[in-house]
Amino acid sequence: MGNPGFDLHTHSSVSDGTDTPAQLVRNAAELGLPGIALTDHDTTAGLADAARAASNTGITLIRGIEVSALSEGRSLHILALGVTRDADTKLAQRLAEIRSSRRTRAKVMVERLSADFPITWEQILENMGASDAEASVGRPHIADALAHAGVVRDRSEAFAGILAPTSPYYVPYDAFTSADAIAAIHEAGAVAIGAHLLSAYRGVRSGADAIRALIAQGLDGLEIRHREHSEPARDILMNIAKENSLITTGGSDYHGHGKPNALGENTTPLVALERIADLVDQRGGDLT
Ligand code: AMP
Ligand code: ZN
Ligand code: FE
Ligand code: FE
């Protein structure tokens, strides 16, 4: 049974997903999806392998990133779709800095944790699906080490306690401001879509007002169909999207076996994809 839409939000092992980029694409092809965007956190390291696998299976691979930003002191995720292949952009430069900050931060968290639990930094490096500089290390990797040591059952339990922002082990990392992220995404030829902005767990603090501020900064679209969006949240987002003629998307936020999200559980219809393709074309990006 083929699904008519594209899954525009997925993660591989070059960030905190558990499928390699090629496995992820093969899984999408087996499900009958016409295409996916690979949107690893703050890195494009998986896109070349994913594109090769896509050309072997006949599905379309959209060049994406889930960019880390901060808004009102909270982490804010912006999907960049259609990122240029050109490596010489402000976006690429800043993402390299953010990955470096993620690495320093994860090391400090592991140091703090290793005083109390049997986990090591080497163990975390072993489980990264890309080189040190290209991989994007995050709390999920630390959660996996804690689960391996029997400290927690799974990632969810780790996030609910020991790795939560309120935990003494928690350390923040450097990220874009939302305005800088959106500007850099545009300059890299891509479309900027606010990811899970009204998630009950990790959405924007001041709801619709914060979203309107992002739109004033140039946000092009809103991810509406996401498992962390309730029906009322979807209605609010849809109204804002209509008022501002924004692109609307859906995606699974698949992380392999790192999260319950199933590949293709939310998708984006082809009409929305045409709008994305037009904008990427205007901005000189590379959609695929
Ligand atoms: P970080 O950016 O390193 O602070 O880690 C946040 C990432 O962890 C998010 O992008 C999510 O993909 C992932 N995450 C958040 N909550 C959970 C959870 N309960 N279980 C598994 N992964 C999670
Ligand atoms: Zn993630
Ligand atoms: Fe996210
Ligand atoms: Fe995500």
Side-chain angles (χ1 to χ4, degrees), residues 11 15-17 41 66 77 140 253 255 259:
H11 297 273
S15 68
D16 56 5
H41 299 284
E66 186 170 14
H77 289 171
D253 211 352
H255 280 69
K259 269 188 169 183

Side-chain angles (χ1 to χ4, degrees), residues 224 230-240:
I224 293 186
S230 64
E231 280 305 324
R234 291 173 198 220
D235 289 345
I236 294 168
L237 289 166
M238 193 51 92
N239 284 331
I240 298 174

Side-chain angles (χ1 to χ4, degrees), residues 14 33 69 151 197 205 210 225 270:
V14 310
L33 291 172
V151 178
L197 290 181
R205 198 187 296 273
R225 291 173 301 286
L270 299 177

Side-chain angles (χ1 to χ4, degrees), residues 9 11 41 66 76-79 195-196 202 223 226 253 255 259:
H9 189 162
H11 297 273
H41 299 284
E66 186 170 14
L76 171 80
H77 289 171
I78 303 177
L79 298 170
H196 48 71
R202 54 198 179 123
E223 181 181 53
H226 184 285
D253 211 352
H255 280 69
K259 269 188 169 183

Side-chain angles (χ1 to χ4, degrees), residues 15-62:
S15 68
D16 56 5
T18 58
D19 291 358
T20 65
Q23 275 165 353
L24 168 56
V25 166
R26 286 195 293 269
N27 287 343
E30 268 167 35
L31 284 174
L33 291 172
I36 63 165
L38 177 61
T39 54
D40 274 308
H41 299 284
D42 304 317
T43 183
T44 54
L47 294 178
D49 279 357
R52 253 188 304 278
S55 69
N56 290 335
T57 56
I59 78 168
T60 301
L61 189 271
I62 290 181

Side-chain angles (χ1 to χ4, degrees), residues 1-7 28-29 31-35 263-270:
M1 187 206 62
N3 189 310
F6 277 43
D7 185 341
L31 284 174
L33 291 172
L263 190 57
E265 70 177 22
N266 283 298
T267 57
T268 303
L270 299 177

